[in-house]
Amino acid sequence: MTRTSLPPVPLTGHGPYDEYGRVLHCGDLTAQLGLAVVRLEQALAEAGLAPADLVRITVRATGPVPVEDVLDRVVERLEAIGADPLVGVERVDRLPDAGMLVAIDAVADPDPGSPTLMVVVAHPDDEAFGCGSVLAHATAHGWRSVVVCATRGELGEPAPASGLRPEQLPAAREAELRAACRVLGVGRVVLLGHLDSGTTGPPAAGALVAVRPARLQDQVAALVDEVRPDVVVTLDGGDGHRDHAAIRDATLAALDRVDHRPLRTYLHCLPGSLMTELTGLPLGTHDEEITTVVDVASLLDRRWHAIRAHESQVPPFDAMDARLQHAFLATDHLRRVDPPWAGGPVETTWRPVPVTTLWPRLPADDHPLTTAKENR
């Protein structure tokens, strides 16, 4: 087997241990991080890999360790050994041994591709009407993307001008999904094969909300382990559609079943203030729960192109005035759910960025590597 044919290699549990497995440097964050990186280097060498092959690192930190201190120190150590991975910090309640402040889990890949986004939705058009600018943003920044769609939208209401009969709708909507994804630069579309549940009434056999939750969770988890995304985004279910809530719940629960845990998982949110203004009802995600706000105004043309690919459907934005339409479409609102948000200024990107393109040029309050922040 040649070196470039190696699959991604997980390297987990590297801590501040001596050769006998004893924890050293208790209470000294800098020294523990340095020793943990040395142990990681040794594991790389034993696997026939180099620091440059590192593609992902998660630093698990416990106790009153300031997250930004961890980031600064690990970035310095990684740069010193010539490593350029995506980095996350996860706060945990405890580590395996007493006295440990940090431990490092890593993935090495001698032939890595671009970072990958996975978007998980319920129906064709959710990827464009809901997450279209997230996908366009990923493409614009060199990311690969995969869209997972649970149904073919069988119970959607055809646009009056479409001329489609109900039995023609599933095939038409699948074709529209694939066309919109091509516009957005999506590399792969996966259909899970369930039926649209509709909005009211008893669900039919095979409908998404009638599927055993464990089965749906297993489907999503298997795809996460196959695709190995860096970031997962799914719907917040804030419009009240039961299928949107079902795919949200399954996606979040699937994280407890995966071998590959994404660096970040987000809900794509309908802000409560905008939904109340639009409908007069208490729908959407409370504004104060939104952790991430991304300016995507530059991607509006591409997003509209993707929206219009769904010719069988009437976009809800068509009924809005220009101001409200712009508020929904020119800014992405997300809620980071994994790792949990720990407070502080909102993020302005959902993309973890390789350390050498980020540090030390960005201020701490716009630090894309930060996956948990101190309350300020």
Side-chain angles (χ1 to χ4, degrees):
M1 179 181 291
T2 63
R3 188 171 179 271
T4 56
S5 67
L6 287 171
V9 179
L11 301 159
T12 59
H14 300 286
Y17 298 113
D18 65 12
E19 60 269 31
Y20 302 107
R22 296 174 298 199
V23 175
L24 301 182
H25 311 303
C26 293
D28 188 333
L29 172 64
T30 301
Q32 286 204 355
L33 273 172
L35 185 52
V37 171
V38 168
R39 297 299 177 228
L40 176 59
E41 284 187 89
Q42 292 172 343
L44 284 167
E46 291 170 2
L49 299 167
D53 294 323
L54 289 169
V55 292
R56 292 163 48 89
I57 282 183
T58 301
V59 181
R60 291 179 288 134
T62 188
V65 175
V67 168
E68 288 171 7
D69 283 356
V70 173
L71 285 167
D72 289 342
R73 285 166 171 76
V74 77
V75 165
E76 183 178 6
R77 294 287 181 176
L78 292 170
E79 288 185 333
I81 65 173
D84 188 24
L86 297 174
V87 180
V89 175
E90 178 182 355
R91 190 178 296 283
V92 296
D93 292 333
R94 63 180 62 86
L95 288 166
D97 294 299
M100 290 181 68
L101 298 176
V102 292
I104 294 177
D105 297 332
V107 174
D109 188 344
D111 188 22
S114 301
T116 302
L117 167 71
M118 176 183 281
V119 170
V120 186
V121 297
H123 314 105
D125 79 21
D126 291 338
E127 88 297 333
F129 295 4
C131 301
S133 47
V134 174
L135 290 162
H137 184 79
T139 299
H141 287 83
W143 282 51
R144 297 176 295 184
S145 56
V146 175
V147 167
V148 178
C149 188
T151 78
R152 299 169 78 202
E154 293 86 352
L155 295 184
E157 184 175 345
S162 70
L164 290 172
R165 299 188 302 275
E167 65 270 19
Q168 296 174 315
L169 193 59
R173 296 198 69 186
E174 180 182 342
E176 291 168 353
L177 165 67
R178 296 184 185 279
C181 283
R182 286 193 293 272
V183 170
L184 296 168
V186 175
R188 180 183 175 192
V189 177
V190 180
L191 288 160
L192 297 184
H194 304 296
L195 298 178
D196 190 338
S197 306
T199 56
T200 60
L208 185 60
V209 298
V211 176
R212 286 189 304 108
R215 180 186 173 202
L216 190 56
Q217 293 162 22
D218 284 344
Q219 284 184 297
V220 176
L223 282 166
V224 169
D225 283 334
E226 175 191 339
V227 174
R228 302 180 64 82
D230 298 281
V231 174
V232 169
V233 176
T234 190
L235 308 168
D236 72 340
D239 60 353
H241 197 301
R242 54 188 177 178
D243 278 347
H244 296 168
I247 201 64
R248 174 200 65 203
D249 294 346
T251 302
L252 298 184
L255 292 177
D256 293 328
R257 298 169 176 255
V258 295
D259 295 322
H260 168 87
R261 196 172 189 91
L263 281 176
R264 298 181 181 183
T265 298
Y266 288 93
L267 298 179
H268 188 273
C269 298
L270 298 168
S273 58
L274 294 181
M275 291 297 287
T276 299
E277 182 178 353
L278 176 66
T279 68
L281 300 173
L283 298 173
T285 295
H286 294 303
D287 290 16
E288 61 270 20
E289 295 179 2
I290 291 170
T291 65
T292 310
V293 178
V294 185
D295 182 355
V296 289
S298 64
L299 300 168
L300 275 173
D301 286 347
R302 182 174 295 272
R303 186 168 185 191
W304 272 115
H305 189 184
I307 289 170
R308 295 304 181 200
H310 290 276
E311 296 178 353
S312 73
Q313 303 298 296
V314 178
F317 314 109
D318 287 355
M320 300 178 188
D321 63 45
R323 180 194 59 80
L324 192 57
Q325 188 183 88
H326 189 82
F328 271 102
L329 294 176
T331 305
D332 275 333
H333 301 85
L334 302 101
R335 177 186 168 202
R336 199 181 75 202
V337 292
D338 189 62
W341 183 249
V346 297
E347 299 175 317
T348 58
T349 180
W350 50 261
R351 294 178 296 112
V353 180
V355 295
T356 57
T357 66
L358 171 124
W359 184 85
R361 294 184 287 277
L362 293 184
D365 62 358
D366 193 26
H367 209 304
L369 297 183
T370 305
T371 57
K373 286 184 180 288
E374 301 298 301
N375 290 304
R376 296 181 183 178

